Amino acid sequence: MSSVVNKLANATERESSETQALIAVKQLEKAALELVASYEDCACYAEAIREVPRAYQSSDQRTDFEKLIEAEVNKVKGASSTSLENHPLIRQFREAVWKVHHEGQSMPGDEQEDIVMTSTQTSLLNITCPLTGKPVTQLTEPVRSADCRHIYEKVPIMHYMKNQRPPKCPIAGCPRVLQVGRVICDSLLQVEIEELRSSGPSAPSAENIEDLADDEDDSNE
């Protein structure tokens, strides 16, 4: 009888501990969402302030810069379709929590993403810069859009955004409008590029594919 009581007590203690851990994780996630929301707001305001000199029109009347900035902020937020729930930083947080008890297992939803992975098995959406044609592994200063997740060389994409209105992503078919404050070298980009670089020979390049095609043609002749 005492052993049963002890088992029940231990089970209750474990359940209580797991419940407290779950509550703590939920509180951390809530704090993380608030931090990311603040980060996004700061990025929007920074981008809006950069746009003010272009939007400003001199006149005889006094300019209400508060309204001007507010209008630019609304434009920037309207052009952004990033959801906090799908933000890369929130995803990193959830992956870290998942790995505590599910190391080596895919998170729910990742299975569908695996289906659309490229033949190189990389999570990068593009492996060459659309402006320079260089592979992302050879870029001096790689940056990535926080909205569409495409990668570019920093200097050419900044020059492109400065001269294009609106500065749509140069990747063919991508409708996203780029924002200076949201085209950055995020914390995972260098890691993902290094993973692509280390995969090396296992990931066939365009030149390798062409060589194989030539060899096949020669054999058919």
Side-chain angles (χ1 to χ4, degrees):
M1 183 68 178
S2 60
S3 63
V4 173
V5 173
N6 289 335
K7 288 181 180 179
L8 288 173
N10 291 335
T12 302
E13 184 178 347
R14 284 196 302 271
E15 184 175 349
S16 175
S17 177
E18 290 175 358
T19 301
Q20 291 176 0
L22 181 59
I23 293 173
V25 169
K26 289 296 183 182
Q27 290 175 338
L28 284 173
E29 182 171 349
K30 181 181 178 181
L33 285 167
E34 291 174 353
L35 285 172
V36 170
S38 297
Y39 165 80
E40 291 296 327
D41 284 342
C42 288
C44 285
Y45 276 104
E47 177 66 16
I49 290 172
R50 276 191 286 266
E51 291 295 325
V52 166
R54 299 189 185 96
Y56 172 74
Q57 295 180 350
S58 59
S59 66
D60 297 335
Q61 297 180 347
R62 184 178 179 181
T63 301
D64 190 334
F65 283 98
E66 184 176 351
K67 286 187 177 180
L68 182 59
I69 293 175
E70 183 180 354
E72 291 303 314
V73 168
N74 291 333
K75 286 181 184 178
V76 172
K77 288 185 175 181
S80 175
S81 58
T82 301
S83 166
L84 288 182
E85 289 292 328
N86 298 323
H87 195 281
L89 294 176
I90 297 301
R91 180 177 176 82
Q92 290 177 44
F93 171 83
R94 289 173 176 161
E95 286 177 347
V97 173
W98 176 263
K99 287 180 180 178
V100 172
H101 297 294
H102 304 85
E103 183 66 38
Q105 300 179 30
S106 297
M107 283 182 61
D110 280 358
E111 295 83 358
Q112 184 63 31
E113 292 183 8
D114 291 340
I115 296 174
V116 297
M117 289 283 278
T118 64
S119 59
T120 60
Q121 295 300 306
T122 175
S123 58
L124 301 178
L125 293 186
N126 59 299
I127 57 174
T128 58
C129 172
L131 297 175
T132 65
K134 290 182 179 180
V136 296
T137 53
Q138 297 178 15
L139 299 183
T140 305
E141 291 185 275
V143 290
R144 175 162 56 186
S145 167
D147 296 311
C148 65
R149 310 298 291 165
H150 288 127
I151 303 167
Y152 328 92
E153 180 74 90
K154 183 175 181 178
V155 173
I157 193 64
M158 293 301 168
H159 180 75
Y160 171 87
M161 285 190 287
K162 183 179 179 181
N163 291 281
Q164 293 289 326
R165 284 291 175 269
K168 283 191 175 182
C169 173
I171 292 284
C174 182
R176 298 295 178 86
V177 175
L178 302 179
Q179 303 171 42
V180 174
R182 297 179 60 78
V183 178
I184 58 174
C185 183
D186 60 69
S187 57
L188 281 180
L189 181 55
Q190 290 291 358
V191 174
E192 292 172 353
I193 289 177
E194 187 55 39
E195 287 178 352
L196 176 62
R197 185 180 290 113
S198 63
S199 67
S202 63
S205 64
E207 293 181 357
N208 292 337
I209 294 173
E210 290 177 0
D211 291 341
L212 289 172
D214 291 340
D215 291 341
E216 185 176 348
D217 292 339
D218 293 340
S219 62
N220 290 334
E221 291 176 1

